[in-house]
Amino acid sequence: MAEAHQAVGFRPSLTSDGAEADLSASALQDIYLSGLRSWKRHLSRFWNDFLTGVFPASPLSWLFLFSAIQLAWFLQLDPSLGLTEKIKELLPDWGGQHHRLRGVLAAALFASCLWGALIFTLHVALRLLLSYHGWLLEPHGAMSSPTKTWLALVRIFSGRHPMLFSYQRSLPRQPVPSVQDTVRKYLESVRPVLSDEDFDWTAGLAQEFLRLQASLLQWYLQLKSWWASNYVSDWWEEFVYLRSRNSLMVNSNYYMMDFLYVTPTPVQAARAGNAVHALLLYRHRLNRQEILPTLLMGMRPLCSAQYEKIFNTTRVPGTQKGETLSPLLALGGGTVWRGHDRWYDKSFTLIVFSNGKLGLSVEHSWADCPVSGHMWEFTLATECFQLGYSVDGHCKGHPEPSLPRPQRLHWDLPDKVHLSIALALRAAKTLSGDTDCHVFPFSHFGKSFIKRCHLSSDSFIQVALQLAHFRDRGHFCLTYESAMTRLFLEGRTETVRSCTREACNFVRAMEDREKTDSQCLSLFRLAVDKHQALLKAAMSGQGVDRHLFALHIVSQLLHLQAPFLDQVHSEQWQLATSQIPVQQTHLFDVHNYPDYVSSGGGFGPVDDHGYGVSYIFMGDDTVTFHISSKKSSTKTDSHRLGQHIEDALLDVASLFQEGQRLKRGCRGRGEEDAGNRRGSLPGH
C-alpha cells in the first residue's frame, strides 16, 4: 500500500565515498545486531513462547506421558529400556526412605526428555512441510495428488486448537533468491516500459553488477538469512519507514473506512464508546492469544508476528531514525474529534466524526494492511452486531454511576511548541488539500462473476487496471502491487510488477479495432496467467524488489558503488495498487445485511503525477475502489481514472458471454457509448 511511496523515496543515511569493498566491520555489525534483535524479541516473549512452543503438543500431553510411564512401572514394564535406571543412578542418594522419590523424579526427567524430543521432531517435520510451496504454483482451482498428500500431513502435524502464535516456531525462514534470477526477472519487468536504447543501457548495468558486485553482496545476505529471523524485514522497517524524513500523513500512513452505505448510530459519543469497547475486547483476545492464526486458503498458516505491535506501540522521533516504543500499559491508538486532530505516530488512531461515522488512520512501520484490517473487521462487526445500540442510538446498558466523569486534558506547552504546531498544521493542511481522493463502489459484477470465468479475482482487476491506466495516460508505466510474504517467519511484503509484456499486449489489442473479442480474450487469459505466476513467486519468496533492496542496503554498508542498484531504486511507480483482503467473512452476513460490509481503505499517491489505487471485494457482486492522486498535477484526476476503471471492467467482462449481457444492461440504463470502449459483439 503506502509502502510504495516510502520504497521509492528511501535513501539510506549512509555515505558512499567509493572506498574499497572488504569484509566491512559496519556491515557485519549491522547483521550481528539484526540477529541480536531477533533473539531479544524471542526472550521477551518467553512465556508466550512456552505456551505455544510445545504446540502441536500441550502441557497435558506431558502429564499423559508421565502417567503412562508410571503405569508401565507399576506393571513391571520398562518403556525407557533402562534409561530411567541410569537417570536414577545419577540423582543424589537421599536415603532409603526417599528411594521411591528418586524413581518418580527419574521417570519425570525421562518423560520430559522424551516429550521434548517428540516436540522437536514435530516442529522439524512441520517446518519441512511448510517449506513446500508446490501447492501455490499449481493452476487456479486445481490440486494435485502430491498436494493433497502434503495437506493431509500438514493437518496431522499441525495439531488441534492452535493459538495465535502456535505456528511461529515452525515457520520457515524467507529464502534469499538467486541473484541471477532476480536480475533476469527485473529486466523482464522493465522491458515493456523502456525504449530499446534505455533497456540496453539498463541491461549493461545489470551485467556489470553480476560480474563485479553481486557475489559479495549476496554472501552477506546469505549470512544474515542464516543468523537473523528474516534477511530483509528489519531493514525494510528501518530504512523505508523509520529513517524516512517524509511526512507520515498521505505519504506513509493509510486509512480504513466505515460501512459504505449505513451508519449504525448518528450519536458520536455512542459510536466512540462501542468502538473503543470493541477494540479493548480485541486487545483482550490478543493478549490471551485467542485470535486464530490466519490460514492461507484454509490450510497454510501465516506469520503472526505483526499482531504483537497493534497496541502499545508508537514512533519516537530521533536524529537519524525513529524508534518504536512499546509501553506495557498504554493503549495504542487514540479517539479524536476537532477535523485536524490525528496522532500519526501512534500505531493507529480511531477517528469518530460528528455524524457517527468511523475511520482509522494506521501508521505503517509496525505492520501491513491485513493485520490492521483484521482488527478493523472485528471492531466493526462487534460494535454493530454484538454490542449494538438502543432505539435512540445510544449504547445499550446503563451507565455505571461510581465511575468518575470524563475530564478533558489540557496541555501545558511552551511557546516554541505552539509555533511548531502552527507550522505543522499549515503543512498538514497543504498536503491534505492537495490530495484528490475518490471512493466508489463498482456494483455491476464482483468476484462471483470472475469465479464463473475460472479466473483469479485479483489478477482480473490488475489486468483491467492496466487497460484503465493506459486509457487515462496513453502510455504504460511501472506498476506496484503489494503482496504478502507472511508464509515465512517475520515476512512482510513483496512487490508484484503488474505491468507485464502480456498485459501490454492485451491492452494494445483492446485498443485495436481490428482485433476480435476472441483474440482479446486469449491475450487477457495470458495476462492473467502471467500475473498469477508473478504473484505466487512473490508470495513464495522469489520476488524481485525486496532482494534488490537488501542488496542495495549491503552495498551502502560496504561503501560499495553499484550503479545498477542505484538505477533500480531511482525508479518511479506512477501506479501503486493493493487489494484489501476480507479475512473474517463469518462476522458479516452479506446476504441478509449486504450494506454492513467494510468498504476497505486506501493510501496516498506514490508519485506526484501518479495514482494510488486500492480495492476490496464486498460480498459477491461489488468491488469498492479507493483512488488517490494530487490535485496539483495536471496529468492525473482520480474521478477520471475511476470512470476509466469502470469502463475497462465492463469492456473486459464483455469478452465473456455473460459479461456481454451485463454491458448491454448498462447501455440500456442510458450510459453513453464513449469512443474508447469496445462494442459488445465480436468483429467490431
Side-chain angles (χ1 to χ4, degrees):
M1 292 182 67
E3 68 196 33
H5 189 287
Q6 302 295 86
V8 170
F10 100 95
R11 291 291 182 271
S13 53
L14 302 164
T15 59
S16 178
D17 54 10
E20 289 292 328
D22 56 7
L23 301 183
S24 169
S26 63
L28 289 173
Q29 181 183 20
D30 203 276
I31 292 173
Y32 166 76
L33 292 176
S34 294
L36 193 62
R37 286 191 293 267
S38 299
W39 287 107
K40 283 183 176 180
R41 286 195 297 271
H42 288 309
L43 290 175
S44 67
R45 352 183 249 250
F46 173 78
W47 179 244
N48 282 344
D49 280 351
F50 172 76
L51 294 177
T52 60
V54 300
F55 186 84
S58 67
L60 287 178
S61 64
W62 178 91
L63 183 60
F64 173 80
L65 186 61
F66 174 72
S67 301
I69 293 173
Q70 288 294 93
L71 178 62
W73 273 100
F74 178 77
L75 298 176
Q76 297 184 347
L77 299 174
D78 184 8
S80 70
L81 302 177
L83 288 177
T84 303
E85 287 296 327
K86 294 287 186 182
I87 297 174
K88 187 191 299 185
E89 293 174 3
L90 297 175
L91 293 175
D93 188 357
W94 296 303
Q97 60 180 354
H98 297 293
H99 178 75
R100 186 173 183 81
L101 177 61
R102 291 177 65 200
V104 173
L105 288 176
L109 288 173
F110 173 74
S112 298
C113 293
L114 180 60
W115 187 60
L118 290 173
I119 290 173
F120 178 77
T121 302
L122 290 173
H123 282 170
V124 171
L126 188 56
R127 178 174 293 184
L128 290 174
L129 286 169
L130 297 182
S131 299
Y132 169 74
H133 297 125
W135 61 274
L136 191 61
L137 304 178
E138 292 183 346
H140 186 70
M143 184 178 293
S144 64
S145 296
T147 296
K148 292 178 181 178
T149 304
W150 167 81
L151 178 57
L153 290 173
V154 168
R155 288 173 175 168
I156 291 172
F157 283 93
S158 292
R160 298 165 54 189
H161 310 300
M163 301 171 70
L164 178 60
F165 300 113
S166 291
Y167 293 108
Q168 292 300 100
R169 287 181 177 271
S170 301
L171 291 174
R173 297 190 181 191
Q174 186 168 339
V176 180
S178 162
V179 68
Q180 289 79 10
D181 286 346
T182 295
V183 171
R184 175 183 57 79
K185 292 176 182 177
Y186 169 79
L187 292 176
E188 180 185 342
S189 73
V190 299
R191 187 63 189 95
V193 298
L194 294 180
S195 65
D196 292 342
E197 181 180 358
D198 289 340
F199 179 78
D200 291 340
W201 179 74
T202 303
L205 291 180
Q207 295 305 315
E208 180 185 59
F209 169 72
L210 290 174
R211 187 175 68 255
L212 299 179
Q213 301 105 3
S215 59
L216 175 63
L217 303 182
Q218 183 79 347
W219 182 86
Y220 277 97
L221 290 189
Q222 294 285 3
L223 175 64
K224 185 183 178 185
S225 71
W226 173 81
W227 170 244
S229 298
N230 191 288
Y231 84 91
V232 66
S233 289
D234 63 327
W235 281 348
W236 185 254
E237 177 181 306
E238 177 179 347
F239 290 99
V240 171
Y241 294 116
L242 298 181
R243 285 182 182 259
S244 172
R245 300 295 91 187
N246 292 323
S247 169
L248 295 183
M249 185 179 75
V250 178
N251 297 317
S252 180
N253 285 30
Y254 56 94
Y255 66 87
M256 306 295 290
M257 280 183 58
D258 199 355
F259 300 121
L260 189 61
Y261 298 111
V262 296
T263 305
T265 176
V267 181
Q268 183 185 37
R271 194 83 196 277
N274 267 9
V276 171
H277 188 179
L279 285 169
L280 291 174
L281 289 175
Y282 188 87
R283 185 174 187 262
H284 178 73
R285 296 185 63 188
L286 180 62
N287 290 339
R288 294 171 61 89
Q289 296 194 40
E290 294 175 350
I291 297 172
L292 295 178
T294 303
L295 300 179
L296 184 64
M297 299 174 66
M299 58 183 180
R300 176 56 165 86
L302 303 182
C303 180
S304 300
Q306 296 179 34
Y307 284 89
E308 294 180 330
K309 293 184 179 180
I310 290 183
F311 300 93
N312 309 341
T313 301
T314 188
R315 289 172 63 126
V316 179
T319 304
Q320 288 191 336
K321 69 170 185 175
E323 298 286 351
T324 55
L325 178 66
S326 300
L328 293 178
L329 298 178
L331 172 63
T335 306
V336 296
W337 290 267
R338 299 172 294 281
H340 57 262
D341 294 332
R342 306 287 185 269
W343 198 331
Y344 288 101
D345 282 335
K346 280 200 170 186
S347 55
F348 66 88
T349 302
L350 177 65
I351 305 162
V352 189
F353 297 94
S354 58
N355 62 355
K357 278 291 185 182
L358 285 181
L360 198 72
S361 174
V362 187
E363 201 277 312
H364 210 327
S365 66
W366 61 275
D368 303 302
C369 179
V371 174
S372 55
H374 189 279
M375 176 193 71
W376 191 236
E377 288 175 4
F378 178 90
T379 300
L380 290 179
T382 301
E383 65 92 14
C384 182
F385 302 125
Q386 181 178 329
L387 301 176
Y389 300 92
S390 61
V391 177
D392 59 357
H394 290 280
C395 297
K396 292 182 178 179
H398 302 282
E400 175 56 56
S402 62
L403 292 177
R405 294 180 61 83
Q407 293 184 352
R408 182 174 183 175
L409 296 178
H410 296 276
W411 298 90
D412 185 13
L413 301 175
D415 292 338
K416 62 179 181 180
V417 174
H418 282 288
L419 177 60
S420 298
I421 291 176
L423 294 175
L425 178 59
R426 183 187 307 170
K429 286 184 175 180
T430 301
L431 187 59
S432 176
D434 193 32
T435 303
D436 181 17
C437 185
H438 176 43
V439 181
F440 72 96
F442 176 85
S443 55
H444 301 299
F445 63 86
K447 64 181 180 182
S448 62
F449 166 77
I450 300 175
K451 286 183 177 179
R452 290 195 297 272
C453 298
H454 305 288
L455 296 171
S456 161
S457 300
D458 182 66
S459 298
F460 189 103
I461 298 295
Q462 284 291 326
V463 177
L465 286 177
Q466 291 300 315
L467 177 59
H469 184 269
F470 184 85
R471 289 173 173 175
D472 183 79
R473 298 293 300 274
H475 63 82
F476 299 107
C477 70
L478 281 177
T479 304
Y480 186 112
E481 182 190 7
S482 178
M484 64 90 186
T485 55
R486 288 170 57 205
L487 291 171
F488 305 102
L489 182 62
E490 297 185 10
R492 291 204 58 168
T493 62
E494 177 58 277
T495 304
V496 178
R497 293 173 167 243
S498 301
C499 184
T500 62
R501 179 181 58 187
E502 291 78 3
C504 294
N505 290 339
F506 162 72
V507 170
R508 293 190 186 99
M510 287 292 286
E511 300 302 278
D512 186 348
R513 295 288 177 176
E514 296 182 359
K515 298 293 184 181
T516 65
D517 277 5
S518 60
Q519 291 175 311
C520 291
L521 180 57
S522 297
L523 292 173
F524 179 73
R525 291 190 180 277
L526 289 176
V528 166
D529 290 343
K530 179 62 175 180
H531 178 268
Q532 271 288 287
L534 292 178
L535 177 61
K536 292 175 178 179
M539 293 173 61
S540 58
Q542 299 301 315
V544 172
D545 288 86
R546 297 303 175 271
H547 187 200
L548 292 176
F549 163 80
L551 290 169
H552 188 45
I553 294 299
V554 176
S555 73
Q556 296 295 308
L557 293 170
L558 293 175
H559 305 292
L560 180 65
Q561 295 285 356
F564 170 69
L565 296 178
D566 293 337
Q567 164 65 19
V568 169
H569 289 94
S570 66
E571 295 172 338
Q572 298 298 315
W573 303 90
Q574 292 188 5
L575 181 59
T577 68
S578 179
Q579 179 189 170
I580 310 297
V582 178
Q583 305 168 80
Q584 303 169 92
T585 55
H586 63 281
L587 296 179
F588 303 93
D589 186 351
V590 296
H591 297 291
N592 295 322
Y593 302 98
D595 294 340
Y596 286 86
V597 180
S598 171
S599 53
F603 53 95
V606 172
D607 185 76
D608 286 344
H609 301 288
Y611 291 106
V613 180
S614 68
Y615 49 95
I616 182 173
F617 290 93
M618 298 173 58
D620 291 331
D621 301 307
T622 301
V623 189
T624 298
F625 288 89
H626 300 248
I627 306 173
S628 66
S629 62
K630 291 199 171 181
K631 295 178 180 178
S632 57
S633 172
T634 59
K635 301 178 180 179
T636 58
D637 185 305
S638 295
H639 290 73
R640 184 183 69 206
L641 180 63
Q643 186 61 61
H644 283 307
I645 290 175
E646 184 168 357
D647 294 341
L649 287 171
L650 288 171
D651 286 346
V652 171
S654 71
L655 300 176
F656 302 86
Q657 185 174 3
E658 181 180 350
Q660 292 182 7
R661 293 194 297 270
L662 287 171
K663 190 169 183 178
R664 283 196 294 268
C666 293
R667 297 287 185 266
R669 287 192 291 269
E671 197 174 83
E672 71 278 6
D673 190 5
N676 62 355
R677 300 176 186 165
R678 297 178 64 86
S680 58
L681 297 175
H684 46 269

